[in-house]
């Protein structure tokens, strides 16, 4: 249909409004030559996880998303990031609309190798 593109664009534009709080997380480029870029990425990812854990501990709902907007130069510019900065997370945080049952996760046993 001719209006499919407009509907898709409207859906994309409404995504930041899915929760009352949206935190965009970018990663600084290393300021010193001895700093390895992946360490900054890992530190920012750890900070994201800690934010999610804190939100859940407070009884909030929280979700980590990325997708194509994380790579879009216009999105980065709008958020104040440089084009070459990594945008690693959109953290959606708010109050849950309903009680969510915990997900039963598989055991770590089949994903862990212990070395003696």
């Amino acid at each position: 249909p001719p209006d499919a593109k407009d509907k898709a664009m409207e859906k994309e534009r409404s995504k930041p409004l899915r929760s009352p709080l949206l935190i965009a997380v970018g990663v600084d480029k290393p300021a010193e030559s001895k700093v390895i870029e992946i360490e900054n990425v890992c530190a920012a990812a750890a900070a994201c996880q800690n934010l999610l854990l804190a939100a859940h501990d407070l009884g909030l709902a929280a979700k980590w998303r990325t997708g194509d907007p994380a790579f879009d130069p216009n999105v980065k510019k709008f958020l104040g990031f440089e084009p070459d900065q990594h945008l690693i997370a959109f953290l959606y945080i708010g109050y849950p609309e309903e009680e969510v049952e915990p997900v039963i996760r598989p055991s770590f046993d089949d994903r862990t190798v212990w070395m003696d």
Side-chain angles (χ1 to χ4, degrees), residues 20-21 27-28 31 33-34 67 72 81 88 90 95-96 99 114:
L21 176 62
V27 180
D28 286 337
S33 61
K34 67 180 181 178
D72 187 308
F81 296 121
I88 65 163
F90 295 108
Y95 291 97
E99 188 70 28
W114 297 99

Side-chain angles (χ1 to χ4, degrees), residues 17-100:
L17 306 175
R18 293 186 280 197
S19 69
L21 176 62
L22 174 62
I23 301 172
V25 180
V27 180
D28 286 337
K29 291 286 187 179
E32 301 173 20
S33 61
K34 67 180 181 178
V35 176
I36 301 169
E37 183 176 11
I38 192 65
E39 291 178 351
N40 284 1
V41 173
C42 292
C48 290
Q49 180 63 21
N50 287 335
L51 281 167
L52 295 176
L53 291 170
H56 284 288
D57 189 54
L58 293 170
L60 298 168
K63 187 166 189 159
W64 182 337
R65 305 291 295 181
T66 51
D68 291 338
F71 303 97
D72 187 308
N74 293 318
V75 172
K76 289 181 180 185
K77 182 178 179 181
F78 176 78
L79 294 171
F81 296 121
E82 296 296 323
D84 62 345
Q85 273 186 285
H86 298 293
L87 178 50
I88 65 163
F90 295 108
L91 303 178
Y92 291 85
I93 301 175
Y95 291 97
E97 292 180 355
E98 57 191 49
E99 188 70 28
V100 178

